[in-house]
Structure formats: C-alpha cells, structure tokens
Amino acid sequence: MTRSEEGSGSSAETAELASRMRRLLLVSSRILRTRTSSEQISASQYSVLAFLDRSGSATPGAIAEFEHVSPPVMTRTLDRLETAGLVARAAHPGDGRQVLVTLTATGADLVHRGRQERDDWLSSRIEATDPAERDALDAAVDLLTRTLIERPDSTPPR
C-alpha cells in the first residue's frame, strides 16, 4: 500500500518528506551551479548574467532586489562583470538618474554555454536511467512544478 492509499499521512511524515526534498533540492542546485562553462565568474555573478539574459536589461536596483542583495553589493558585482566585458551600463532613457545594465555578446555567450553545459550534464544523468525511471522523472518534474512553482505561496520571501 502506498502512502497516498493509506490516507493523507501524518504531519511527521509530511515534515520528513519536506526535509528530504529540501536537502535534495539544495544539493542538486549546488551541483548544477558548479556545472558552468566558465571558471572566471562566481555562481552569484552567473546568476546576474542569467537574469539579464532573461530580462534583456535592468537597473542595478532591480537586479539587487531579484538577487536579494544590497545595492552596494550589486554595484561591486556589476563593476567586476563590466571589467570582464560581460555587461555594459548605459544611461536610462526615461530617468537620467538611473542606468540600465545589459549583457554584452560575450556575456550572453557565457550564459548560453553555461546552460548548455548544465543541460548536457543532466541529459547524461537521465540517459543513464532506464525508460521506466525516465517516465517517473518526467512525472516528478510535472508534480514538482505544480507543487513548488505554480501554487501561490502565501509566505512572503525573506
């Protein structure tokens, strides 16, 4: 009999499952962060580049808010990325007091290569499973997406 057939389960079982999931997600996230094609930037710098790749451009304040860091920390990060030729800053067209940060072609290439390296690593791990396990992984991804991403969270981020 599976846990779902037994009923809703105890809160202790739910807490244990939550603890196991948290550990798995943290460890897998750390492993993926180490799988990038560049050793010249840190994981947090890569995260800024990936954010800019998705957003197109952003103010330093918006990036700092997204990354949950202070504006001075973000300024130092952007200084390093600009010195490395990975981002460019330009005057904000609507607010002369602000700047917009965008990826350079080199920065975009680094992000795309990093994503490809991560995808390749994950693909190699998935290919090592049998077809039934792949089906289970596919179903698990759908379930995790519905559970962790698509459901509204009433707890505000810290």
Side-chain angles (χ1 to χ4, degrees):
M1 182 180 289
T2 65
R3 285 189 178 137
S4 62
E5 292 169 336
E6 293 172 357
S8 63
S10 72
S11 59
E13 288 171 341
T14 301
E16 174 60 22
L17 177 58
S19 179
R20 289 176 48 224
M21 268 181 70
R22 177 187 46 77
R23 285 190 304 267
L24 173 66
L25 293 169
L26 286 172
V27 169
S28 60
S29 179
R30 281 189 203 119
I31 290 168
L32 283 173
R33 278 196 308 270
T34 65
R35 301 282 173 181
T36 62
S37 62
S38 173
E39 294 181 9
Q40 70 189 37
I41 63 167
S42 67
S44 61
Q45 290 169 332
Y46 183 90
S47 181
V48 169
L49 297 177
F51 172 80
L52 289 169
D53 187 60
R54 288 186 305 274
S55 66
S57 65
T59 64
I63 303 168
E65 184 177 326
F66 178 80
E67 293 291 328
H68 302 289
V69 298
S70 68
V73 168
M74 184 52 57
T75 297
R76 286 190 297 276
T77 298
L78 293 174
D79 287 346
R80 289 183 189 109
L81 292 172
E82 188 173 36
T83 298
L86 303 173
V87 300
R89 296 183 218 194
H92 192 290
D95 184 349
R97 299 168 297 168
Q98 297 258 7
V99 297
L100 282 180
V101 182
T102 57
L103 277 180
T104 63
T106 303
D109 182 57
L110 190 139
V111 169
H112 299 154
R113 283 186 289 127
R115 284 184 184 142
Q116 188 62 54
E117 186 172 321
R118 291 172 184 190
D119 287 350
D120 291 347
W121 180 80
L122 276 171
S123 292
S124 73
R125 301 300 288 239
I126 293 167
E127 286 173 356
T129 65
D130 65 46
E133 290 173 321
R134 268 179 252 145
D135 289 343
L137 286 170
D138 189 44
V141 168
D142 290 342
L143 178 58
L144 286 169
T145 300
R146 284 192 312 275
T147 303
L148 301 177
I149 297 171
E150 293 175 356
R151 290 194 179 150
D153 187 356
S154 60
T155 306
R158 288 192 242 172

